[in-house]
Amino acid sequence: MAETLTPDICVIGAGSGGLSVAAAAAAFGVPVVLIEKGKMGGDCLNYGCVPSKALIAAGEAAQAVRDSGKFGVNGHEPAIDFGKVNAHVHGVIGAIAPNDSVERFEKLGVRVIQAAGRFASPKILLAGDHAIEARRFVVSTGSAAFVPPIPGLEATPYLTNETIFDLKEAPAHLIVIGGGPIGLELAQAHRRLGCKVTVVEAFSIMPKDDPAAVDVVREMLVGEGVEIIEGAKVGSVAMDGNRVAISAEVAGKAMRVAGTHILVAAGRRPNVNGLGLDEAGIAYSAKGIVVDRRLRTSNARVFAIGDVAGGLQFTHMAGYHAGIVIRNALFNLPAKVDYRAVPWVTYTDPELSHVGQTEAQAREADPTAKAVTWSFEENDRAQAERATEGFIKAVVGKGGVVVGATIVGRHAGELILPWVLAVQKRLKIGDMTSIIAPYPTLSEVSKRVAGAWYTPQLFSNRTRRVVRAMQWLP
Ligand SMILES: Cc1cc2nc3c(=O)[nH]c(=O)nc-3n(C[C@H](O)[C@H](O)[C@H](O)COP(=O)(O)OP(=O)(O)OC[C@H]3O[C@@H](n4cnc5c(N)ncnc54)[C@H](O)[C@@H]3O)c2cc1C
C-alpha cells in the first residue's frame, strides 16, 4: 500500500537544479521531498562537469611535461598510467559527493526517496512505495546524450558521457561523433593523455561561438594532433574485426575512419520520457518541457528547471533556475528569467568563454554595434607563460553600452566575469577603462580592450584639433 506524503514541495531529480531547490526550501523550513532514481548529484557530479574537468586537468598535467622544454625545463613525452588517471577522476567525484549525498540532505531536513518518479495525475506523483501530493512540484530530471539514428550504431559498442569516465585503459584511437563543447573537451583531454583522436562533425565545430575564436581553438587542437573532420555526414557505423569504423561523406567524397572506441557527443536530449507528463497535463516536446518566464509549466502546480526545461544546458543555468523557482514557489514572487547575461565556457586549452551577444547578433539587432579586439600577444603575463594564443573581443552597442564579450585564451573562463557584470548591469565600455588591473595579470586584457575602443577616437582629427587648441590656453 503506497504511503501518501503531502510536502509543500516535491523535487524530481537530485542534480544541479533539484539539489539547489531542495536545499533552499529546507533552509527556509519548508517540508520538501526529493526524488532521485540514479546517483545523487546528477550529471554534473557523476558524468559531466566534474569528471570532465578532472580528466582535463590530468591532460593539462601531461601537456605541461611535454611543453616544459620551452621554459628551459626538461620537456619529454610523459608516461601516463590511465588506470591512475581514472582513479584521480573518481577521487575528485568522491571528494565532492558528500555535498550532494542523501545523508547531507536528510540532515538539512529533506526527505529523500531513491526511486523513479512518475506523475499519475496532475496532482499526484508516484515514487517507489510513495504517492506524493505536493503543493508544488519541480521537475529537474536533466538530459542524456542524444544518440543520432545512424545505421549500425545501436549494434556497435559506443561510449557516452555516462560510460567514458569508467575507462581504466586508454582508448588507442577514440572517434568522437560531435564537435560541440563536450566532444572537443574530451577529444583534447584524451589526446593529451596519449590517445589518437578523431573528431567527426556534421557541420562546423562549436557553431554557437564566434568563428574567429573557434579558429584559435581548432588550430590548437589540430596542432596537438587531434584530427578534426568537419562537414562529415556519417552514413553508417560498423564493427571491423575488433575495431569500430565510421563511414561518412565529406564534400561529396566517401571516407572511412576506423578506431578502437566511439564516443557519441552529438547533443543532448531532455529527460521527458517515463515521467507521466501527459497524465499530469504538462506540455513538452523533444526540446524539453515547455515553461514560461517564471518557469511554470502548463500545469499550474508544476515548475521545470535545468536541462529538462530546454534552452542553455549548464550547471549554472540550473542553479539560476532554482533561484527563480524558489522565489515563485515559496514566496509567490513573480520572478522571471533574464537570459541576457548568461556566460558559457568551453574548457579546451585555450578556453573559450562568452557572454551576451556575439558580434553578428549585435549587428543584426543594431547595425551601429561595433566590436573591438585585443590580442593575448600584447599581454605581458601571457608572454611570460608562453600562452599568447587568443584574443578578447568586446561587443559594444548604442551609447557605448557593453552587449557582449568573447574571450579565447588561457583562463578565458576566469576572465569573463567582469564582462558578465558589464552586460547584466548595462555598463559602458568606458567603465572598464577606469578600473585598475593588477600587473602583470591576464585580467589586463579586459582593461586594454576597453582602452582600444577609444584609440581611434584619441587619434581622430577632432581630438587633434582639441589638443592643438588647448596648447594655446594660458
Ligand atoms: C560531459 C559533460 C560536461 C559538462 N560540463 C559542464 C561544465 O563544465 N559546466 C556546466 O555548467 N555544465 C556542464 N555540463 C552540463 C551540466 O552537467 C548540466 O547542465 C547539469 O547537470 C544540468 O542539471 P540538471 O539539474 O538539469 O540535471 P542533472 O544534473 O542531470 O540531474 C538530473 C537528475 O534527475 C534524475 N532523474 C531523471 N529522471 C528521473 C525520474 N523520473 N525520477 C527521479 N529522478 C530522475 C537523474 O538521475 C539525475 O540525477 C556538462 C555536461 C556533460 C554531459
Side-chain angles (χ1 to χ4, degrees), residues 154-198:
E154 281 303 344
T156 311
Y158 62 83
L159 300 160
T160 66
N161 66 296
E162 285 191 29
T163 48
I164 192 157
F165 302 111
D166 291 336
L167 295 182
K168 293 198 173 71
E169 278 179 33
H173 183 179
L174 181 67
I175 302 172
V176 182
I177 301 181
I182 293 174
L184 292 183
E185 285 181 10
L186 294 177
Q188 188 182 35
H190 280 87
R191 177 69 197 140
R192 288 177 158 197
L193 292 168
C195 312
K196 186 172 180 201
V197 179
T198 304

Coordinates of all heavy atoms in Angstrom, one line a residue, residues 154-198:
E154 N 23.5 1.4 -33.1 CA 22.9 0.7 -32.0 C 23.5 -0.7 -31.8 O 23.6 -1.3 -30.7 CB 21.4 0.6 -32.1 CG 20.7 1.8 -31.6 CD 21.0 2.3 -30.2 OE1 21.5 1.5 -29.4 OE2 20.7 3.5 -29.9
A155 N 24.0 -1.3 -32.9 CA 24.6 -2.7 -32.9 C 26.1 -2.6 -32.6 O 26.7 -3.7 -32.6 CB 24.3 -3.4 -34.2
T156 N 26.6 -1.4 -32.4 CA 28.1 -1.3 -32.2 C 28.3 -0.8 -30.8 O 27.6 0.1 -30.4 CB 28.6 -0.3 -33.3 OG1 28.2 -0.6 -34.6 CG2 30.2 -0.3 -33.3
P157 N 29.3 -1.3 -30.1 CA 29.5 -0.7 -28.8 C 30.0 0.8 -28.9 O 30.8 1.1 -29.8 CB 30.7 -1.5 -28.2 CG 30.9 -2.6 -29.2 CD 30.2 -2.3 -30.5
Y158 N 29.4 1.7 -28.1 CA 29.8 3.1 -28.2 C 29.8 3.6 -26.7 O 29.1 3.1 -25.9 CB 29.0 3.9 -29.1 CG 27.5 4.0 -28.7 CD1 27.0 4.9 -27.8 CD2 26.6 3.1 -29.3 CE1 25.7 5.0 -27.5 CE2 25.2 3.2 -29.0 CZ 24.8 4.1 -28.1 OH 23.5 4.2 -27.7
L159 N 30.5 4.7 -26.5 CA 30.6 5.3 -25.2 C 29.8 6.6 -25.3 O 29.6 7.2 -26.3 CB 32.0 5.7 -24.9 CG 33.1 4.6 -24.8 CD1 34.5 5.2 -25.0 CD2 32.9 3.9 -23.5
T160 N 29.3 7.0 -24.1 CA 28.7 8.3 -24.0 C 29.3 9.0 -22.7 O 30.2 8.3 -22.1 CB 27.1 8.3 -23.7 OG1 26.9 7.7 -22.5 CG2 26.4 7.5 -24.8
N161 N 28.8 10.1 -22.3 CA 29.4 10.8 -21.1 C 29.1 9.9 -19.9 O 29.7 10.1 -18.9 CB 28.8 12.2 -21.0 CG 27.3 12.2 -20.7 OD1 26.5 11.8 -21.5 ND2 26.9 12.6 -19.5
E162 N 28.1 9.0 -20.0 CA 27.8 8.2 -18.8 C 28.8 7.0 -18.7 O 28.8 6.3 -17.6 CB 26.4 7.6 -18.9 CG 25.4 8.7 -18.5 CD 24.0 8.3 -18.4 OE1 23.8 7.1 -17.9 OE2 23.1 9.0 -18.6
T163 N 29.6 6.7 -19.7 CA 30.4 5.5 -19.6 C 31.9 5.8 -19.8 O 32.8 5.1 -19.4 CB 30.0 4.4 -20.7 OG1 29.8 5.1 -21.9 CG2 28.7 3.8 -20.3
I164 N 32.2 6.9 -20.5 CA 33.6 7.2 -20.9 C 34.5 7.4 -19.6 O 35.7 7.0 -19.7 CB 33.7 8.4 -21.8 CG1 35.2 8.4 -22.4 CG2 33.4 9.7 -21.2 CD1 35.3 9.1 -23.7
F165 N 34.0 7.9 -18.5 CA 34.8 8.1 -17.4 C 35.1 6.8 -16.6 O 35.7 6.9 -15.5 CB 34.2 9.2 -16.5 CG 34.0 10.5 -17.2 CD1 32.7 11.0 -17.5 CD2 35.1 11.2 -17.7 CE1 32.5 12.2 -18.2 CE2 34.9 12.4 -18.4 CZ 33.6 12.9 -18.7
D166 N 34.5 5.7 -17.1 CA 34.8 4.4 -16.4 C 36.0 3.7 -17.0 O 36.4 2.7 -16.5 CB 33.6 3.5 -16.5 CG 32.4 4.1 -15.6 OD1 32.7 4.8 -14.7 OD2 31.3 3.7 -15.9
L167 N 36.5 4.2 -18.2 CA 37.6 3.5 -18.8 C 38.8 3.5 -18.0 O 39.3 4.6 -17.5 CB 37.9 4.2 -20.2 CG 36.9 4.1 -21.3 CD1 37.4 4.8 -22.5 CD2 36.4 2.7 -21.6
K168 N 39.4 2.3 -17.8 CA 40.6 2.2 -16.9 C 41.8 2.0 -17.8 O 43.0 2.1 -17.4 CB 40.5 1.1 -15.9 CG 39.4 1.4 -14.9 CD 39.6 0.5 -13.7 CE 38.6 0.9 -12.6 NZ 37.2 0.6 -12.8
E169 N 41.6 1.8 -19.1 CA 42.7 1.7 -20.1 C 42.4 2.7 -21.1 O 41.3 2.9 -21.6 CB 42.7 0.3 -20.7 CG 43.4 -0.7 -19.9 CD 43.4 -2.1 -20.5 OE1 43.4 -2.2 -21.8 OE2 43.3 -3.1 -19.8
A170 N 43.5 3.3 -21.6 CA 43.4 4.4 -22.6 C 42.8 3.9 -23.9 O 43.3 2.8 -24.4 CB 44.7 5.1 -22.8
P171 N 41.8 4.5 -24.5 CA 41.4 4.1 -25.8 C 42.5 4.4 -26.8 O 43.0 5.5 -26.8 CB 40.1 4.9 -26.1 CG 40.1 6.0 -25.1 CD 41.0 5.6 -24.0
A172 N 42.9 3.4 -27.6 CA 44.1 3.6 -28.5 C 43.7 4.7 -29.6 O 44.5 5.5 -29.9 CB 44.5 2.3 -29.2
H173 N 42.5 4.5 -30.1 CA 42.0 5.5 -31.1 C 40.5 5.8 -30.8 O 39.7 5.0 -31.1 CB 42.2 5.0 -32.5 CG 41.8 6.0 -33.6 ND1 42.0 5.7 -34.9 CD2 41.3 7.3 -33.5 CE1 41.6 6.8 -35.6 NE2 41.2 7.7 -34.8
L174 N 40.3 7.0 -30.3 CA 38.9 7.4 -29.9 C 38.3 8.2 -31.1 O 38.9 9.2 -31.5 CB 39.0 8.3 -28.7 CG 37.7 8.8 -28.1 CD1 36.8 7.6 -27.6 CD2 37.9 9.8 -27.0
I175 N 37.2 7.8 -31.6 CA 36.5 8.5 -32.6 C 35.3 9.3 -31.9 O 34.5 8.6 -31.3 CB 35.9 7.6 -33.7 CG1 37.1 6.8 -34.3 CG2 35.2 8.4 -34.8 CD1 36.6 5.8 -35.3
V176 N 35.3 10.6 -32.0 CA 34.3 11.4 -31.3 C 33.3 11.8 -32.3 O 33.6 12.5 -33.3 CB 34.9 12.6 -30.6 CG1 33.8 13.4 -29.8 CG2 36.0 12.2 -29.6
I177 N 32.0 11.4 -32.2 CA 31.0 11.9 -33.1 C 30.4 13.1 -32.4 O 29.7 13.1 -31.4 CB 29.9 10.8 -33.3 CG1 30.5 9.6 -33.9 CG2 28.8 11.4 -34.2 CD1 29.4 8.5 -34.2
G178 N 30.7 14.3 -33.0 CA 30.2 15.6 -32.5 C 31.3 16.5 -32.1 O 32.1 16.1 -31.2
G179 N 31.3 17.7 -32.7 CA 32.4 18.7 -32.4 C 31.8 19.9 -31.6 O 32.2 21.0 -31.8
G180 N 30.9 19.6 -30.6 CA 30.5 20.6 -29.7 C 31.4 20.7 -28.5 O 32.5 20.0 -28.5
P181 N 31.1 21.5 -27.5 CA 32.0 21.7 -26.3 C 32.3 20.3 -25.7 O 33.5 20.1 -25.4 CB 31.2 22.6 -25.4 CG 30.3 23.3 -26.3 CD 30.0 22.4 -27.4
I182 N 31.3 19.5 -25.5 CA 31.6 18.2 -24.8 C 32.6 17.3 -25.6 O 33.6 16.8 -25.1 CB 30.3 17.4 -24.5 CG1 29.5 18.2 -23.5 CG2 30.6 16.0 -24.0 CD1 28.1 17.6 -23.2
G183 N 32.3 17.2 -26.9 CA 33.1 16.4 -27.7 C 34.6 16.9 -27.8 O 35.5 16.1 -27.7
L184 N 34.7 18.2 -27.9 CA 36.1 18.8 -28.1 C 36.9 18.8 -26.8 O 38.1 18.5 -26.8 CB 36.0 20.2 -28.6 CG 35.5 20.4 -30.0 CD1 35.5 21.8 -30.5 CD2 36.3 19.5 -31.0
E185 N 36.2 19.0 -25.6 CA 36.9 19.0 -24.4 C 37.5 17.6 -24.2 O 38.6 17.4 -23.8 CB 36.0 19.3 -23.2 CG 35.6 20.8 -23.1 CD 34.7 21.0 -21.9 OE1 34.4 20.1 -21.1 OE2 34.2 22.2 -21.8
L186 N 36.6 16.6 -24.4 CA 37.1 15.2 -24.2 C 38.1 14.7 -25.2 O 39.0 14.0 -24.9 CB 35.9 14.2 -24.1 CG 34.9 14.5 -22.9 CD1 33.7 13.6 -22.9 CD2 35.7 14.3 -21.6
A187 N 37.9 15.3 -26.5 CA 38.9 14.9 -27.5 C 40.3 15.4 -27.1 O 41.3 14.6 -27.2 CB 38.5 15.5 -28.8
Q188 N 40.4 16.7 -26.7 CA 41.7 17.2 -26.4 C 42.3 16.5 -25.1 O 43.5 16.2 -25.1 CB 41.6 18.7 -26.1 CG 43.0 19.3 -26.0 CD 42.9 20.8 -25.7 OE1 42.0 21.3 -25.0 NE2 43.9 21.6 -26.2
A189 N 41.4 16.3 -24.1 CA 42.0 15.6 -22.9 C 42.5 14.2 -23.2 O 43.6 13.9 -22.8 CB 40.8 15.5 -21.9
H190 N 41.8 13.5 -24.0 CA 42.3 12.1 -24.4 C 43.5 12.2 -25.2 O 44.5 11.4 -25.1 CB 41.2 11.3 -25.1 CG 40.2 10.7 -24.1 ND1 39.1 11.4 -23.7 CD2 40.2 9.5 -23.5 CE1 38.4 10.7 -22.8 NE2 39.1 9.5 -22.7
R191 N 43.6 13.1 -26.2 CA 44.8 13.3 -27.0 C 46.0 13.6 -26.1 O 47.1 13.0 -26.3 CB 44.6 14.4 -28.0 CG 45.8 14.8 -28.8 CD 46.0 13.6 -29.8 NE 47.4 13.7 -30.4 CZ 48.1 12.7 -30.6 NH1 47.7 11.5 -30.4 NH2 49.3 12.8 -31.1
R192 N 45.8 14.5 -25.1 CA 46.9 14.8 -24.3 C 47.3 13.7 -23.4 O 48.5 13.6 -22.9 CB 46.5 16.0 -23.4 CG 46.4 17.3 -24.2 CD 46.0 18.5 -23.5 NE 46.4 19.7 -24.1 CZ 46.4 20.9 -23.5 NH1 46.0 21.0 -22.3 NH2 46.9 22.0 -24.2
L193 N 46.4 12.8 -23.2 CA 46.7 11.6 -22.3 C 47.2 10.4 -23.2 O 47.2 9.3 -22.8 CB 45.5 11.2 -21.5 CG 45.1 12.2 -20.4 CD1 43.7 11.9 -19.8 CD2 46.2 12.2 -19.3
G194 N 47.6 10.8 -24.4 CA 48.3 9.8 -25.2 C 47.4 9.0 -26.2 O 47.9 8.1 -26.9
C195 N 46.1 9.3 -26.4 CA 45.3 8.6 -27.3 C 45.3 9.3 -28.7 O 45.5 10.5 -28.8 CB 43.8 8.6 -26.9 SG 43.6 8.1 -25.2
K196 N 45.1 8.4 -29.7 CA 44.9 9.0 -31.1 C 43.4 9.4 -31.0 O 42.5 8.7 -30.5 CB 45.1 7.9 -32.1 CG 45.0 8.5 -33.5 CD 45.5 7.5 -34.6 CE 45.3 8.2 -35.9 NZ 45.2 7.3 -37.0
V197 N 43.1 10.6 -31.6 CA 41.7 11.1 -31.5 C 41.2 11.6 -32.8 O 42.0 12.4 -33.4 CB 41.5 12.1 -30.4 CG1 40.0 12.6 -30.4 CG2 41.9 11.6 -29.0
T198 N 40.0 11.2 -33.3 CA 39.5 11.8 -34.5 C 38.1 12.4 -34.1 O 37.3 11.6 -33.5 CB 39.3 10.8 -35.6 OG1 40.6 10.2 -35.8 CG2 38.8 11.4 -36.9

